[in-house]
Amino acid sequence: MKTFKKLFLTNYLILLPIFCYSQEKQINQLIYPNINGEIKHEIKFGVKVTDDFYNLNDIENEKIKEWFKLQDSLAEAYFDTIESMQKYLERFKQLQNITQSKVSMITVNETGNYFYLKKDDSLGMEKLFYKQKLDAEEKELFDPNHYAIGDKEISYLKPSFDGKKIAIGFNENNDFSSKIKIYDLEAGKFLNDEITNINPDFGGIEWLPDNSGFIYLYFPEVDTSKPDFKKKSFSVLHKIGEDSINVTPIFGSDTNLEISADFYPKVKIGSSKDKFIIGYVASSDDYYDSFIAEMSDVINGKPDWKPFFKKDDKIYYDQGELRGEEFIFRQGKLKGNSLAKINISRPDFNNPIILVEGTKDDPITNFGLTRDHIFFTRSLYGANVSLFKISSGNQLTQFDLPFTPGYISFFGESLSHNNIGVGLDGWTSNYTRYIIDKKDNVQKEKLSNESEYHDFANVISEQVMVTSHDGIKVPMSLVYKKGIKKNSDNEVFIFVYGAYGESLSPFFSPIFLDWAAQGGILAFPHVRGGGEKGKEWHEQGMKNLKYNSWKDLIACTEALIDMNLTKEGLISLYTNSAGGVTAAMAVNERPDLYSSFIAEVPRLNPFGLESSNTASSTSYLEYGTVKDSAEYVGLIKMDPYLNIKPNTNYPATLIMPSYNDDRIPLWDNGKYIAKLQKYNTANTAILMDIDYDSGHETFGDYNETIRLYSKIFSFAKSNMKN
């Protein structure tokens, strides 16, 4: 996993002349490789901002590169000395042995064909399998071991509507761009079509209703070092058999549409029955502007895009589906949200036909369409999900589910039939797939054998409400072993996020549950900035109101102590990505509360995002922009790097960035670590463990994942202060 492992031990003396080590500090026998910071002052709107390590932005500088290598090698050497690291490796390998035989990436097209991956233990890789129907015989489609070196690990699947072809994605070097090949099931081979300059995380393959080709989001520049990286993207039409080098722009390249270079113009095709196609101007917001065109014109390569709904109409970007002449959608409301519909020929989004209303505490979170029915979910405080159906006669039915899930997803739905499947997940209930039959019975899909985790049989969950700094009630999920002694000796592992309107929905993770099975407590604060209570919950934790996110987290942490469940010194805090702002600011404000702070690919310097040459993002929609005087001040107040205080006792800190991260550049985390190592006065480890292979949302194989989480939990465990 690490390209530069143990360089600290071999190169430290050689590199002494390069760096200034006059400020070296020995903490826990760790010698931090320091570098002189170059200070940059900025005054805007009458406010002065000081960047102590501005020079770390130049990550291509050889001196800076070596400093990062030394930081990474120091972290690797640190984990070689932690006794609990080996214990977690062994324990998590045992859990892996229970789960690794399961199938993954199950994809069901509207014809009812099943495509999925299954690991071959003898080869150490996954093969692609196919079933014509759920109860049909299994057939092996693709064995990566028989193909060219490099095309080994499948990262994406998207079958055509008729099931005769399937797009298979590979990301062999964890680059931003994937490679998509088209496999012809009837011919039993790959076609010559090969798609590049695509990233499925930003929009994958959208097959045309007639299966003659597909549309995908094309990135003209995929080199992360170039100024136009990820910018000026547009959707293109590819017909099977045509030269993929000569792309045909279909949406977003028309200057008349006035789409920002930082936005992502992509389309969505939900069914082979679709007569229209909707183009979305995608960003990091919940709501998009959109356009609509006739499908026949798009297939002919000559679409006439007309404005459809606007951002101000508050239509959730991933929650709109076409059915005949109707458009059914989820719409944000002041006091919750609603499921509604309009007629495409007379679209009035201000006065739609309301099908069902959601509330702040119990909003509608998802829906799926079949030929005659609408299935939808509601989520009480982001943790208890219920499932409903609206029949063709507007009759409402609630389903009796096998357990109360924390998350429900739909699969296999189509306008050509009334079949639908649901995936149920929860804190203590393993993800299980079910089929809903014609009589509304919920039956297990049984595509794979279910893993049994006897060690988690007595692990339970509950949800408590915590009063935050301003009197607002914040939900917090707790997971622990039944019968645990509720006293201050319990070790707590907190996972928080709180951004982009994304709910921290319950998920079943044996690796996380192991903490509870061993006697600890897992805590999941559903802070503002997430989507647990709808759009308003998100808005109360973004831009100039971002402080609510970390103050909610602090309130939840204090509540754990007040409930006599734990005490200061026994609370580890973990987050990832945009959750870095929430978690790190809580640490800045109350460093005494936490024994350790662990963050994976975190955002720690949002203020510096727009000024960076590598920035290609719409994150300013979430955090604010330096171009607005009020948001400029808000960015300063929420920036963890800028708000590190000198001469302060900070908890043990482990920051885990990725070198190939296309969203959060390495300097973001590097500057935070450099400043924290300089200002921290406590006898605690401050480490940066860099993944030189993966990106922001790409991960290694099973063994690398096990090692990653062994580091996270061993760091949390070893820094508890009993």
Side-chain angles (χ1 to χ4, degrees), residues 251-264:
F251 176 62
S253 58
D254 187 344
T255 55
N256 294 330
L257 299 181
E258 298 182 350
I259 298 175
S260 169
D262 283 330
F263 284 37
Y264 308 107

Side-chain angles (χ1 to χ4, degrees), residues 38-54:
E38 293 181 11
I39 299 176
K40 178 186 177 181
H41 298 292
E42 176 181 324
I43 301 178
K44 196 171 184 178
F45 303 117
V47 181
K48 181 179 180 180
V49 178
T50 300
D51 186 342
D52 292 319
F53 289 92
Y54 177 74

Side-chain angles (χ1 to χ4, degrees), residues 430-629:
N430 197 358
Y431 173 76
T432 309
R433 292 164 63 95
Y434 295 85
I435 302 294
I436 299 177
D437 65 18
K438 296 179 180 179
K439 296 182 179 180
D440 289 344
N441 296 314
V442 182
Q443 301 175 336
K444 286 185 180 180
E445 183 186 55
K446 295 183 179 179
L447 181 62
S448 62
N449 295 326
E450 293 182 31
S451 302
E452 295 185 5
Y453 300 92
H454 301 292
D455 290 351
F456 307 144
N458 292 322
V459 175
I460 60 175
S461 64
E462 69 168 314
Q463 192 171 65
V464 298
M465 302 301 290
V466 175
T467 302
S468 192
H469 69 103
D470 55 358
I472 294 296
K473 298 291 185 180
V474 179
M476 178 167 59
S477 298
L478 302 177
V479 180
Y480 52 86
K481 199 169 183 177
K482 188 176 182 180
I484 191 174
K485 293 182 179 179
K486 295 187 176 181
N487 58 39
S488 60
D489 293 329
N490 294 308
E491 296 178 345
V492 173
F493 187 89
I494 296 178
F495 179 18
V496 71
Y497 186 68
Y500 289 105
E502 294 289 337
S503 299
L504 185 56
S505 301
F507 59 91
F508 183 87
S509 169
I511 284 178
F512 275 75
L513 287 176
D514 181 71
W515 183 273
Q518 301 303 318
I521 296 175
L522 295 168
F524 303 90
H526 302 284
V527 302
R528 278 172 281 186
E532 285 84 349
K533 290 188 178 183
K535 182 61 178 176
E536 185 179 2
W537 197 248
H538 174 207
E539 293 176 340
Q540 288 180 2
M542 62 184 290
K543 293 189 176 181
N544 282 33
L545 295 176
K546 187 63 188 174
Y547 63 87
N548 283 323
S549 298
W550 71 78
K551 289 187 180 295
D552 286 353
L553 171 56
I554 291 172
C556 287
T557 308
E558 291 175 330
L560 290 168
I561 297 172
D562 293 340
M563 289 187 289
N564 198 36
L565 293 177
T566 190
K567 60 186 176 184
E568 292 180 8
L570 295 181
I571 305 172
S572 181
L573 177 61
Y574 166 75
T575 191
N576 58 25
S577 194
V581 174
T582 298
M585 282 304 300
V587 171
N588 279 350
E589 193 163 305
R590 289 295 307 277
D592 55 300
L593 285 177
Y594 306 102
S595 56
S596 61
F597 168 44
I598 306 164
E600 194 180 352
V601 291
R603 173 76 67 196
L604 297 170
N605 182 212
F607 179 84
L609 183 63
E610 286 180 272
S611 63
S612 166
N613 292 330
T614 59
S616 176
S617 169
T618 58
S619 295
Y620 60 86
L621 297 174
E622 176 73 13
Y623 305 114
T625 175
V626 296
K627 300 173 184 178
D628 179 273
S629 59

Side-chain angles (χ1 to χ4, degrees), residues 48-114:
K48 181 179 180 180
V49 178
T50 300
D51 186 342
D52 292 319
F53 289 92
Y54 177 74
N55 51 315
L56 292 185
N57 283 44
D58 186 10
I59 59 175
E60 294 303 316
N61 181 288
E62 290 302 319
K63 292 183 179 181
I64 305 301
K65 281 185 178 181
E66 294 299 337
W67 179 82
F68 277 108
K69 292 176 186 178
L70 290 175
Q71 290 284 354
D72 177 61
S73 298
L74 179 62
E76 291 289 352
Y78 173 89
F79 284 108
D80 287 340
T81 67
I82 297 181
E83 182 180 350
S84 59
M85 175 71 179
Q86 189 60 38
K87 293 180 180 179
Y88 275 108
L89 281 170
E90 294 172 359
R91 174 63 180 153
F92 290 167
K93 283 180 181 178
Q94 293 175 359
L95 294 175
Q96 172 197 325
N97 291 335
I98 299 175
T99 61
Q100 67 180 3
S101 62
K102 294 179 64 176
V103 300
S104 62
M105 212 178 290
I106 303 172
T107 305
V108 187
N109 71 346
E110 73 172 24
T111 312
N113 307 141
Y114 273 76

